[in-house]
Amino acid sequence: MKQFRKKLAFFAGAMNSRVRENLVETWSNDSEIIVHRGRMKTPYSEALLDSKYCIHAKGFEINTARIGDAIYYGCVPVILSDHYDLPYADILNWESFAVIVSSLDIPKLKQILQAIEYHHYVKLQNNVMQVKKHFQWNSFSKDFDIFHMVMYELWIRRSHLRHIY
């Protein structure tokens, strides 16, 4: 089977956290893990399409589109953070389509990703394509799209919301 994704992993983003700074410092000179500070000169989408894994390193901001971008382009997300509340965690089994790595393991990231056997990677990537519909916004809502997922999350948490007021 021909491998279309040539790079092992990719990250590009602002240096607004120690985790991101550590990631870029550790892997800035690597040929398989591609990391960029800030904006890139080439299209972001090309880098996502060219990488097997797309790294999500938590910054100082509460949210980011990086996970959704990775999923949209069929790139297996690597969640590089500790104690991160993932979207739809009550609904989706993130370990079936993403790799979750402690920020302490940044120096071992390449070793961790290379240790994932090809058939397991293919399974993760196929599952990314299956969950993709849950992260898509449609002009007219479709079953199980992002609108339905958010509504379901709110419904699950309704008992918690009642106690706030």
Side-chain angles (χ1 to χ4, degrees), residues 16-41:
N16 60 5
S17 75
R18 287 189 185 115
V19 172
R20 289 179 176 197
E21 290 169 3
N22 189 9
L23 176 68
V24 171
E25 287 172 17
T26 303
W27 296 108
S28 62
N29 295 320
D30 194 85
S31 62
E32 293 182 89
I33 296 179
I34 307 304
V35 292
H36 289 274
R37 297 176 189 271
R39 296 201 179 268
M40 300 170 37
K41 293 178 184 174

Side-chain angles (χ1 to χ4, degrees), residues 81-147:
S81 183
D82 304 310
H83 315 293
Y84 189 71
D85 188 18
L86 294 167
Y88 320 134
D90 296 330
I91 304 166
L92 300 177
N93 175 8
W94 277 83
E95 292 181 356
S96 72
F97 65 93
V99 179
I100 301 169
V101 179
S102 169
S103 61
L104 296 174
D105 288 331
I106 288 173
K108 299 185 221 172
L109 185 59
K110 187 174 186 176
Q111 179 183 358
I112 290 167
L113 297 177
Q114 287 177 330
I116 297 172
E117 295 182 15
Y118 180 74
H119 73 276
H120 184 63
Y121 162 75
V122 169
K123 187 176 180 179
L124 289 168
Q125 207 268 337
N126 285 336
N127 289 340
V128 164
M129 300 311 287
Q130 293 296 313
V131 301
K132 183 177 177 177
K133 66 183 175 188
H134 302 309
F135 292 85
Q136 290 180 321
W137 180 262
N138 298 294
S139 296
F140 297 98
S141 184
K142 294 182 181 177
D143 289 348
F144 309 108
D145 69 359
I146 196 166
F147 174 78

Side-chain angles (χ1 to χ4, degrees), residues 1 7 9 42 48 78 89 124 150 164:
M1 177 178 209
K7 299 298 180 188
T42 59
L48 294 170
V78 175
L124 289 168
V150 170
I164 293 174

Side-chain angles (χ1 to χ4, degrees), residues 149-164:
M149 296 297 285
V150 170
M151 291 299 109
Y152 185 69
E153 276 281 312
L154 291 172
W155 183 78
I156 288 174
R157 298 168 193 259
R158 72 192 181 285
S159 63
H160 300 293
L161 296 173
R162 288 184 190 144
H163 298 294
I164 293 174

